[in-house]
Amino acid sequence: MDSVIQQKLEVFFAKYKKQQFKKGEVLIHAGDAPSGIFFLQKGTVRMYLISRNGDELVLNLFKPVSFFPMSWGMNELPNFYYFEAMDDVIVCRAPREKVMVFLKKNPDVLLDLLSRLYRGIDGVLSRMAYLMAGNAYARLITELIIMTKRFGIAGKDGIAFAITEKELSSFAGMTRETVSREMRTLKAKNLVTFQKNILVVRSLDALEKVLIREV
């Protein structure tokens, strides 16, 4: 995010009280009318729904400096999703009406929001494509590429991010057994390592080439 846009967001939301949530606490419950627009200053928040079978289906992850839920904020659509802290989270919460006025007065911030929205849609479409294809290997690789680009930190051994196998299976929409099986294949090809809840993608370029071959 552009530093000028980030500063505008921080100045605007600084007028509102900070709130803290512990890992596992739910900021917004599905079916509830949100109490405002949350601006994420610290931590990660996951957006998910629960299927009829009781499975958690993760739809998006928010990191600083995101603000949500904007489907409700911009269109007043009912909220069907849970927003849960994945670690210790700090947010500011502003009234919806104030946020809408702020966005109208700051088209550069609105344009940045639109840009990030389309990047998110691209990830969702990729997930849908490989979900319909029914190829678990490709689905897992797609999820790893998306998460590496959004949360990965480059190091000498590759690009790393923290995640548990349970979280990865939830994000990919697969069972833990399936994820474990496909991860063994990726490890055997030396594309990733996965130890102590730290996943390292050796080469994002190599992973993307493997995905192209799976199409």
Side-chain angles (χ1 to χ4, degrees), residues 140-161 186 190-193 199-213:
L140 180 59
I141 292 175
T142 300
E143 195 62 45
L144 292 178
I145 291 171
I146 292 170
M147 298 195 73
T148 300
K149 288 181 177 179
R150 291 194 63 189
F151 300 101
I153 299 174
K156 63 178 183 178
D157 297 322
I159 307 173
F161 57 91
L186 291 170
N190 199 32
L191 291 167
V192 303
T193 61
L199 195 149
V200 179
V201 173
R202 295 287 192 180
S203 167
L204 187 58
D205 182 62
L207 204 58
E208 289 176 329
K209 287 179 180 177
V210 172
L211 181 60
I212 291 171
R213 290 197 294 269

Side-chain angles (χ1 to χ4, degrees), residues 16-27 38-45 84-93:
Y16 302 97
K17 185 179 178 180
K18 286 186 179 182
Q19 294 179 272
Q20 297 186 23
F21 293 86
K22 298 291 186 182
K23 180 179 180 179
E25 286 191 281
V26 177
L27 288 72
F38 291 83
F39 176 68
L40 184 59
Q41 292 185 318
K42 176 187 175 184
T44 306
V45 171
E84 179 184 300
M86 292 185 66
D87 45 24
D88 290 345
V89 161
I90 297 177
V91 295
C92 294
R93 187 182 65 199

Side-chain angles (χ1 to χ4, degrees), residues 72-205:
W72 169 78
M74 300 191 75
N75 301 303
E76 296 188 83
L77 296 175
N79 174 58
F80 300 111
Y81 311 108
Y82 292 89
F83 292 80
E84 179 184 300
M86 292 185 66
D87 45 24
D88 290 345
V89 161
I90 297 177
V91 295
C92 294
R93 187 182 65 199
R96 173 191 170 275
E97 296 77 11
K98 299 289 187 181
V99 175
M100 293 302 102
V101 171
F102 168 74
L103 290 175
K104 288 177 183 178
K105 290 182 177 179
N106 294 274
D108 55 339
V109 179
L110 185 58
L111 183 61
D112 178 76
L113 172 63
L114 186 62
S115 174
R116 288 188 286 129
L117 173 62
Y118 272 98
R119 285 199 295 270
I121 289 174
D122 185 62
V124 170
L125 292 176
S126 295
R127 290 189 183 103
M128 287 177 60
Y130 291 106
L131 180 62
M132 289 185 289
N135 185 326
Y137 186 57
R139 283 164 57 190
L140 180 59
I141 292 175
T142 300
E143 195 62 45
L144 292 178
I145 291 171
I146 292 170
M147 298 195 73
T148 300
K149 288 181 177 179
R150 291 194 63 189
F151 300 101
I153 299 174
K156 63 178 183 178
D157 297 322
I159 307 173
F161 57 91
I163 193 168
T164 67
E165 192 171 88
K166 180 181 178 181
E167 290 169 344
L168 186 55
S169 63
S170 179
F171 299 152
M174 298 186 291
T175 65
R176 291 182 69 176
E177 292 76 15
T178 300
V179 168
S180 294
R181 183 185 69 240
E182 303 303 339
M183 284 297 296
R184 285 195 294 271
T185 301
L186 291 170
K187 290 177 183 177
K189 294 181 178 180
N190 199 32
L191 291 167
V192 303
T193 61
F194 195 16
Q195 292 182 333
K196 297 181 179 179
N197 297 335
I198 299 296
L199 195 149
V200 179
V201 173
R202 295 287 192 180
S203 167
L204 187 58
D205 182 62

